[in-house]
Amino acid sequence: MMNNSFLIAAGTALALWGCGGSQRGDTTEVTVVTPELTQAWKTDTVFTGSESTLYDPSTNVIYVSNGNTNAGDKDNDGFISAINTDGTIRDLKWVEGNLHAPKGMAILDGKLYVTDIDEVKIIDVASATIEKTIPVEGAVFLNDAATDGQQVYFSDTRTGSIYALAADGSYTAISENAGVNGLECHDGHLYALDGEGLKKFSKDGEYTQEVINREVTGGDGLVILNDSTFVASRWHGEIFFIRGDETTVLLDTQAEKSNTADIGFVPSQKLVIVPTFLKNEVAAYELAY
């Protein structure tokens, strides 16, 4: 069910659900909060095609992938920024050189995996250096990345492929999905946003897919709060809250031509981190739900 009230900060609504109690007729009150986003901070326009954000809890840093003004060109103008959770810039060009149009990111065992058109770059976080480049045969437009703690998954939006990358650098195509982009993992399951909506894959190694939401099609970024609650973005300027079978529009910045690309999340502060792509900013919104 789609809630079409386009809100940046909606009023908090409380609903009381009566539950069957004891034979004396006792009831239990459950508080339901209407989901909302409230802007916490926004950076200056210091980035270049800010496409993806990823929070690293081990360093308390948000990484930002940049260089996507020409998102498919090998022009060597890409870089990864490191910013603090209050929006201040720690290192604008934390890693640069041999990056073209870096997009999705995932962290596994102290390494930052970054998709870059037709390659995956592996950055050692401690030394801030690219230590390995993995060319992906047949790749056209590598996009998002995610990890389940064992391997890294990455998508190719143009070919519709999802790949699994092992620690030894070998990779395998595990699924074909039209227009796939956003990836995330939770409780051993891989989730993906594509042209059909939000999909959940089985964790038995067969990657059998199930569409669990058909409202958010063509999505970009995905945050998983629990196995039935998600925040998802569309690149052109929309962020959605999905809870069970209900979908709410949390943010609509299309009128300002401010993109909402591959969002990140800082759990301790409940901050949704939004790269604005062509606006060259990063914005943070506190999530209430």
Side-chain angles (χ1 to χ4, degrees):
M1 177 175 63
M2 173 71 74
N3 181 338
N4 287 317
S5 55
F6 290 80
L7 302 175
I8 293 179
T12 301
L14 301 180
L16 301 180
W17 291 349
C19 301
S22 67
Q23 291 182 353
R24 296 193 305 270
D26 294 342
T27 61
T28 300
E29 295 182 348
V30 178
T31 301
V32 178
V33 178
T34 299
E36 62 179 5
L37 289 179
T38 303
Q39 185 173 303
W41 50 260
K42 182 184 286 188
T43 68
D44 292 332
T45 56
V46 296
F47 304 102
T48 305
S50 48
E51 202 280 337
S52 181
T53 56
L54 177 69
Y55 175 64
D56 182 356
S58 69
T59 58
N60 198 34
V61 163
I62 299 165
Y63 299 117
V64 185
S65 61
N66 301 273
N68 288 278
T69 304
N70 297 307
D73 291 355
K74 290 194 170 185
D75 46 20
N76 204 39
D77 68 349
F79 59 97
I80 307 297
S81 301
I83 67 176
N84 298 310
T85 58
D86 62 0
T88 56
I89 308 300
R90 181 176 295 196
D91 192 339
L92 182 62
K93 295 192 174 181
W94 176 65
V95 176
E96 61 177 330
N98 193 27
L99 287 169
H100 305 291
K103 296 178 180 64
M105 299 177 286
I107 298 171
L108 179 61
D109 297 332
K111 311 297 180 184
L112 181 67
Y113 290 73
V114 184
T115 61
D116 193 6
I117 303 178
D118 58 359
E119 299 173 326
V120 176
K121 307 290 175 60
I122 303 177
I123 297 171
D124 178 66
V125 171
S127 63
T129 57
I130 298 174
E131 64 176 27
K132 190 173 184 178
T133 296
I134 301 174
V136 179
E137 184 178 358
V140 178
F141 197 83
L142 298 184
N143 213 323
D144 205 6
T147 181
D148 60 3
Q150 302 296 320
Q151 56 189 346
V152 172
Y153 300 92
F154 59 96
S155 62
D156 188 324
T157 302
R158 300 282 170 82
T159 67
S161 301
I162 299 176
Y163 298 89
L165 174 65
D168 63 3
S170 62
Y171 61 88
T172 305
I174 62 168
S175 186
E176 299 292 331
N177 301 265
V180 66
N181 186 349
L183 300 178
E184 192 52 273
C185 295
H186 177 72
D187 190 28
H189 290 275
L190 173 67
Y191 293 76
L193 292 164
D194 70 6
E196 291 185 291
L198 173 59
K199 292 181 175 178
K200 178 180 181 180
F201 293 81
S202 64
K203 57 180 178 180
D204 56 3
E206 297 297 322
Y207 299 102
T208 304
Q209 56 185 262
E210 171 192 5
V211 180
I212 60 175
N213 178 280
R214 295 185 181 274
E215 302 285 354
V216 185
T217 56
D220 195 323
L222 181 63
V223 170
I224 302 177
L225 301 173
N226 57 52
D227 59 7
S228 62
T229 312
F230 310 85
V231 180
S233 66
R234 280 193 187 133
W235 180 85
H236 54 256
E238 290 175 296
I239 296 179
F240 302 85
F241 185 85
I242 301 168
R243 180 159 45 196
D245 61 358
E246 184 171 332
T247 304
T248 303
V249 179
L250 287 174
L251 182 72
D252 184 355
T253 56
Q254 295 177 86
E256 295 85 45
K257 296 183 178 179
S258 184
N259 305 119
T260 48
D262 186 9
I263 56 177
F265 191 62
V266 181
S268 62
Q269 301 180 49
K270 294 184 179 179
L271 285 180
V272 177
I273 311 299
V274 182
T276 64
F277 206 92
L278 295 176
K279 285 287 188 180
N280 299 319
E281 305 160 330
V282 171
Y285 297 85
E286 186 175 354
L287 173 66
Y289 67 98

